[in-house]
Amino acid sequence: MLLLSAQYAEGMSPTSSFDFGSVWLFSGCSRAELKSIAKAAEPVSVTAGTPVCDEGEVGQTFYFIVSGKATVIRNGRKAAELGPGGYFGELALLDRLPRSATIKAATDLELLAIGQKDFNRLLNDSASLARKLLVATASRLRNADAKALGAAVH
């Protein structure tokens, strides 16, 4: 079950312990921009065994793992495991297309979530943030393209 964590509701903030700049999408952001991103993040608790998101559903939320472990399942098979500092769903904020994997809580999870509405507000409030996210996305695309070209040449 996805729940707002009681410890965070009492005023403790998990955002200070997560480095949003470590996420490829936000890596070019200034401290002020990272602070705005952190403010937009909502704490969420998920109990072990609960799906956080399902493959094929339209994504509307980006999640950061504060504590616990999550299993990434693609086409019914375990593809990876994510732990603290891991994240998933960043592409959902950009394109709102169906999710490419199911993410299931392997243990109890404490997450930070940024929903589509808050993400859009951040972009509308800061043209420089929007530009930096476009640059980060273009860089990631260029890297993927170079990898694919390198694989095709060999």
Side-chain angles (χ1 to χ4, degrees), residues 46-55 57 63-65 67-84 86-89 99-111:
V46 182
T47 55
T50 304
V52 179
C53 57
D54 292 312
E55 184 173 5
E57 77 178 3
Y63 296 96
F64 309 89
I65 300 174
S67 67
K69 291 187 179 177
T71 303
V72 179
I73 303 163
R74 260 197 200 129
N75 299 319
R77 301 172 80 173
K78 181 179 177 178
E81 191 166 274
L82 301 171
Y87 53 89
F88 53 96
R99 294 199 184 269
S100 60
T102 293
I103 309 295
K104 192 172 187 178
T107 66
D108 288 349
L109 289 173
E110 294 297 330
L111 304 170

Side-chain angles (χ1 to χ4, degrees), residues 29-142:
C29 294
S30 69
R31 277 192 182 163
E33 290 163 337
L34 292 172
K35 190 174 180 179
S36 294
I37 293 164
K39 280 184 178 181
E42 294 287 332
V44 176
S45 293
V46 182
T47 55
T50 304
V52 179
C53 57
D54 292 312
E55 184 173 5
E57 77 178 3
V58 174
Q60 297 181 34
T61 308
F62 180 20
Y63 296 96
F64 309 89
I65 300 174
V66 176
S67 67
K69 291 187 179 177
T71 303
V72 179
I73 303 163
R74 260 197 200 129
N75 299 319
R77 301 172 80 173
K78 181 179 177 178
E81 191 166 274
L82 301 171
Y87 53 89
F88 53 96
E90 70 275 22
L91 295 179
L93 295 179
L94 299 173
D95 62 16
R96 295 208 52 209
L97 290 176
R99 294 199 184 269
S100 60
T102 293
I103 309 295
K104 192 172 187 178
T107 66
D108 288 349
L109 289 173
E110 294 297 330
L111 304 170
L112 295 174
I114 297 178
Q116 189 73 56
K117 184 178 175 181
D118 289 324
F119 183 72
N120 288 343
R121 181 184 45 76
L122 286 169
L123 295 180
N124 289 334
D125 290 350
S126 174
S128 69
L129 174 62
R131 171 124 177 90
K132 288 174 184 176
L133 300 186
L134 282 171
V135 169
T137 303
S139 176
R140 187 156 169 127
L141 180 59
R142 284 185 186 276

Side-chain angles (χ1 to χ4, degrees), residues 8-23:
Y8 301 142
E10 293 171 5
M12 294 174 62
S13 173
T15 58
S16 59
S17 64
F18 188 85
D19 178 13
F20 288 87
S22 69
V23 177

